[in-house]
Amino acid sequence: MTQPAAPLVDCRQVRRTFARAAAGYDAAAFIAQEVGGRMAERLDYVRLEPQKILDLGCATGASLAGLQARYPDALVLGADAVPAMLAEARRRHPASGPVISRLPTWLGGGARGPGLLAADALALPLAAGSLSLLWSNLMLHWVNDPEPVLKEFHRSLEVGGLLMFSTFGPDTLKELRSAFGDGYAHTQRFIDMHDWGDLLVHCGFADPVMDMEVLTLTYPDFDALAAELKAAGDTCAMTARRPGLMTPRQWRRAAEAFGRQAKDGRTAVTVEVVYGHAWKTAPKKIADGRSIVRFDRPKPGHS
């Protein structure tokens, strides 16, 4: 029997890190907020009238109000795997609550605000084909294997539904990795934009559109970068990370190497942001591989 591959990402560490960061997340996660805003601008070019929207990996819910304002008739849900983040989201959105209280008025509801639920990206607690729009901002680089996650996204979307996401590309934090150079992982594994496009097609999505932009941030020193990453929960959770705490000497060597990359007293740090969207279309094959052939009925009066 083939043994399952050892995990690359320590998912428990991901949850622990974000749980610790939850209380101060809004003040620290300016990159996530900026990228979420840029994702929202991309919706201007998409023709969509969604009935049910899920923001997966919603954290404290920064994107929820914007999605609800853009699509006022839609049921908007936020999901996250970290209870502490959902607690902060409830404080951010006082009218939010369990999904059952978010039913639209025509279904006997009436409470305003997004519905919030705890959810694992590998097993969403939603019926197949129940979502019109699945939105995910900077979440996918935290999963162990993106393929089953994308397949779960595909299962959850209705035919004609849209997946829109952002993640980080391979050049992200390359200056940090260079400062260590010790063979251990010090950032998450970031997947190339073109590989995301191939994965989307492999998982059943159609017409994937990928694009990328590079943001450059500058820091006065290594400690400032490390503190910012920790406050936002963006520390490494790879299983190949260094076990245990770094010694003061190891930390000092990394800080010195980081400082040698500085110009005019500040070190530039690269953030490569990858954006993607793709559609769920009607299947062309059934489970056993046979093709589906569709015939249009002739209009009355035509032979």
Side-chain angles (χ1 to χ4, degrees):
M1 178 180 294
T2 303
Q3 294 295 321
L8 298 176
V9 176
D10 183 346
C11 293
R12 289 184 297 179
Q13 177 66 13
V14 173
R15 291 190 289 270
R16 285 193 295 265
T17 299
F18 280 105
R20 288 194 292 265
Y25 184 79
D26 283 347
F30 67 91
I31 294 178
Q33 294 158 12
E34 176 66 22
V35 173
R38 297 184 184 208
M39 278 180 67
E41 292 173 359
R42 284 162 165 75
L43 286 172
D44 293 341
Y45 307 100
V46 175
R47 295 183 61 184
L48 190 69
E49 295 182 2
Q51 295 299 304
K52 192 172 184 180
I53 300 169
L54 177 67
D55 177 1
L56 182 60
C58 70
T60 58
S63 295
L64 295 175
L67 289 169
Q68 190 70 79
R70 181 180 286 268
Y71 304 112
D73 296 327
L75 175 63
V76 177
L77 307 175
D80 203 277
V82 181
M85 285 291 188
L86 293 173
E88 292 297 322
R90 291 187 184 96
R91 280 190 277 273
R92 184 185 181 105
H93 302 278
S96 65
V99 172
I100 193 65
S101 70
R102 304 299 100 195
L103 294 175
T105 53
W106 52 271
L107 282 179
R112 295 184 177 181
L116 298 172
L117 64 155
D120 187 317
L122 281 169
L124 298 177
L126 300 168
S130 61
L131 296 175
S132 310
L133 170 62
L134 201 161
W135 168 281
S136 184
N137 179 29
L138 297 181
M139 186 276 293
L140 282 168
H141 50 274
W142 297 108
V143 305
N144 181 61
D145 183 353
E147 182 177 330
V149 172
L150 290 180
K151 288 181 177 179
E152 177 67 353
F153 290 179
H154 189 271
R155 180 197 70 83
S156 302
L157 282 165
E158 65 188 8
V159 173
L162 176 68
L163 167 64
M164 179 166 278
F165 69 93
S166 63
T167 186
F168 289 136
D171 278 349
T172 299
L173 297 177
K174 62 183 181 181
E175 296 83 4
L176 175 65
R177 291 192 295 273
S178 174
F180 283 102
D182 57 5
Y184 291 101
H186 292 278
T187 69
Q188 289 304 103
R189 164 207 53 188
F190 302 126
I191 297 174
D192 183 81
M193 175 180 71
H194 301 95
D195 293 331
W196 279 114
D198 293 341
L199 266 173
L200 288 166
V201 173
H202 175 73
C203 293
F205 286 95
D207 303 322
V209 176
M210 306 297 306
D211 67 293
M212 177 271 288
E213 64 179 339
V214 175
L215 309 179
T216 302
L217 309 176
T218 63
Y219 295 86
D221 53 43
F222 184 74
D223 287 351
L225 171 60
E228 186 176 282
L229 293 173
K230 182 178 180 180
D234 287 328
T235 55
C236 180
M238 302 299 290
T239 55
R241 68 189 185 278
R242 179 186 288 276
L245 297 175
M246 294 184 66
T247 67
R249 181 183 178 189
Q250 291 166 337
W251 186 269
R252 186 170 60 254
R253 289 176 62 183
E256 291 170 353
F258 184 79
R260 286 195 291 272
Q261 303 175 65
K263 292 183 180 179
D264 300 323
R266 299 183 69 89
T267 300
V269 173
T270 302
V271 179
E272 180 185 346
V273 185
V274 173
Y275 302 93
H277 72 258
W279 301 87
K280 179 175 177 177
T281 57
K284 297 180 180 179
K285 293 183 179 181
I286 57 179
D288 64 6
R290 288 179 293 169
S291 297
I292 297 173
V293 180
R294 294 180 172 83
F295 297 93
D296 293 330
R297 292 183 177 180
K299 296 180 179 179
H302 290 75
S303 56

